Amino acid sequence: MNHQQLGPDQAIDFKRYYFYGFIINLLPIYVFYPIRTAKTIQQSNIGTSSSTSFSKVVTERVKIEGVRGLYKGVGVYALGSIGGRLVHFSTYDALRDRVHKGNGKSLGLGWLESCSQTTINAFLGTLSAVTTSSFMVPFDVISQQLQVSKANLSTNTSTNNITNYSALFRRQISTSSTTKQPTFVVTTTHDTAQIPSNVNKQFNISKILLSKNFITHLKPKDVPLHRFLYRGWTAGLLNTISFFPAYFFTYTYTLEQLRLNKYNISFLPSSHFLLSVMAGVLAGATATITSAPFDVVKTKIQIARRAGQGELRWLNVATRVVRTEGIKGLFVGLTARLWIIVPLGSLNFWVFEKVREWSIVNSTLNDENEKNEK
């Protein structure tokens, strides 16, 4: 990887770093979120009579709720995703700089200083991802709960539907798909909430959804809030551990090989950007496949609304998926994940390097400016 070392008079302006990182990560989230929603619905339909076909899932959601039905939970996910990515790469960058400067020993990373660049990137990338994975879990849980929910399209305008606030979140269980949508239904065997169609006409629905009771209405009554928000943590950790070593190792190794052979193989491009994109495509595809089973299990756990925690252990859920769908059940939504991760993975390091480059300032001039302002 084309890592730019900081000079003695250079420093990273983290205000710029986070600003550029926020801006550059915002657009991809909204572009790819409909695919992410379809993937979540596909995985939620495992073990039910509903289809796990990507095209059928998208068609049904758009037919019932329109395109905006594919963007449920996007705000929550964007907040967590951008925050998580900024923390991830800033942690990775800080750790990598310490190792390259020979200061890793104070953090127990001294052994990395004699390792290859491939090993350094794979280990530090995974360590940074594990550190930030816990940050993302609550955002994943809430956004996915919203993604698998279907809105009530009933035309009943009776005000009796909204006189009781608790009725807005009364849980039900549905295991079958149907063309009629009388309630707010999750397309799998999970408890759901009921939201009458005329709520928007009587109340500001955003105020209800953003109220302090919103999350507690999503969770089963017998599950503590912290357990609900962090359900799927183990499966998410396994997903992270199986994804990032494969991604970072494949990317770094492939990029090194492409650089070594770019003059020997005529069709290889010479620019770093194109080589980085090629390495990123292969890395994203490899990591997506290796982590697919854990992603399915994580989703199944996080979208569940039934009471009881025993059945939500990742091994139990994985076993149940295999029993009902076979091994292929652990790879449902793989194509959708590839559509998301491969394009993003192909540009991941290039974007990271650019944001870092744009954020480097002359530390001497920066100190003088701060003194003048005082």
Side-chain angles (χ1 to χ4, degrees):
M1 185 165 47
N2 187 28
H3 177 58
Q4 180 184 355
Q5 297 291 334
L6 294 178
D9 296 327
Q10 290 182 320
I12 292 178
D13 184 340
F14 281 97
K15 289 182 181 179
R16 291 187 185 182
Y17 187 93
Y18 289 123
F19 174 76
Y20 291 136
F22 174 83
I23 296 299
I24 209 165
N25 280 295
L26 188 61
L27 181 59
I29 288 175
Y30 280 85
V31 170
F32 291 103
Y33 194 79
I35 301 176
R36 188 178 297 277
T37 296
K39 181 213 67 136
T40 303
I41 299 173
Q42 282 181 282
Q43 294 173 342
S44 74
N45 288 348
I46 295 173
T48 75
S49 59
S50 300
S51 174
T52 57
S53 165
F54 179 84
S55 59
K56 290 182 179 179
V57 163
V58 173
T59 301
E60 181 183 359
R61 175 55 65 93
V62 173
K63 182 179 180 181
I64 294 171
E65 302 183 45
V67 174
R68 67 178 181 178
L70 296 172
Y71 283 92
K72 286 186 173 180
V74 66
V76 175
Y77 177 78
L79 181 63
S81 179
I82 293 175
R85 285 176 67 82
L86 291 177
V87 172
H88 177 200
F89 274 105
S90 59
T91 302
Y92 169 73
D93 192 47
L95 292 175
R96 192 173 59 170
D97 268 338
R98 289 186 71 90
V99 170
H100 278 294
K101 292 177 180 178
N103 298 323
K105 192 173 183 180
S106 60
L107 298 176
L109 300 175
W111 61 275
L112 274 177
E113 294 171 9
S114 59
C115 293
S116 67
Q117 189 65 44
T118 301
T119 302
I120 293 174
N121 288 342
F123 182 82
L124 294 182
T126 303
L127 180 62
S128 303
V130 168
T131 303
T132 57
S133 63
S134 296
F135 172 83
M136 276 296 300
V137 174
F139 297 97
D140 275 341
V141 170
I142 297 173
S143 64
Q144 289 184 138
Q145 290 269 346
L146 295 173
Q147 282 177 324
V148 298
S149 300
K150 291 183 179 179
N152 170 24
L153 300 181
S154 170
T155 56
N156 181 9
T157 57
S158 171
T159 55
N160 292 332
N161 288 335
I162 57 171
T163 53
N164 186 354
Y165 281 36
S166 64
L168 294 177
F169 302 95
R170 186 177 296 127
R171 294 182 175 84
Q172 299 180 358
I173 297 178
S174 173
T175 60
S176 62
S177 60
T178 174
T179 56
K180 297 180 180 179
Q181 302 295 330
T183 58
F184 193 79
V185 178
V186 173
T187 55
T188 186
T189 55
H190 311 305
D191 298 335
T192 60
Q194 187 177 29
I195 299 183
S197 61
N198 59 334
V199 168
N200 281 325
K201 297 179 181 179
Q202 305 294 331
F203 298 105
N204 186 340
I205 188 66
S206 62
K207 291 181 180 179
I208 297 174
L209 294 180
L210 295 175
S211 69
K212 64 180 181 180
N213 294 322
F214 170 55
I215 296 176
T216 58
H217 283 310
L218 283 177
K219 75 177 188 66
K221 292 182 179 179
D222 65 336
V223 179
L225 182 60
H226 70 279
R227 285 196 178 184
F228 172 73
L229 291 177
Y230 279 90
R231 63 171 30 165
W233 180 84
T234 302
L237 186 63
L238 292 172
N239 181 41
T240 298
I241 293 173
S242 61
F243 181 91
F244 282 97
Y247 177 81
F248 279 94
F249 181 87
T250 303
Y251 175 85
T252 307
Y253 178 79
T254 303
L255 185 59
E256 287 177 355
Q257 294 303 309
L258 289 173
R259 282 176 174 170
L260 290 174
N261 294 284
K262 67 180 180 180
Y263 298 114
N264 300 326
I265 303 176
S266 59
F267 64 83
L268 285 179
S270 58
S271 72
H272 170 72
F273 170 74
L274 293 177
L275 293 177
S276 179
V277 168
M278 292 174 66
V281 167
L282 183 59
T286 302
T288 301
I289 294 170
T290 59
S291 62
F294 298 111
D295 179 70
V296 170
V297 173
K298 177 178 73 72
T299 301
K300 292 292 288 183
I301 293 173
Q302 291 180 338
I303 63 174
R305 287 181 181 168
R306 284 188 301 192
Q309 288 291 303
E311 64 176 336
L312 295 179
R313 293 174 181 171
W314 75 270
L315 187 57
N316 293 348
V317 174
T319 302
R320 192 157 59 245
V321 169
V322 173
R323 284 176 180 172
T324 58
E325 300 289 326
I327 295 296
K328 67 178 183 179
L330 294 175
F331 291 88
V332 170
L334 176 61
T335 301
R337 283 191 82 207
L338 287 170
W339 287 351
I340 298 170
I341 294 175
V342 169
L344 294 178
S346 67
L347 298 172
N348 210 21
F349 274 107
W350 180 81
V351 169
F352 161 67
E353 290 165 3
K354 282 300 177 184
V355 169
R356 189 176 188 275
E357 179 185 322
W358 296 336
S359 304
I360 294 177
V361 296
N362 188 308
S363 58
T364 305
L365 293 177
N366 199 42
D367 291 340
E368 290 179 357
N369 290 335
E370 288 182 358
K371 289 178 180 180
N372 291 334
E373 289 178 0
K374 290 179 180 181

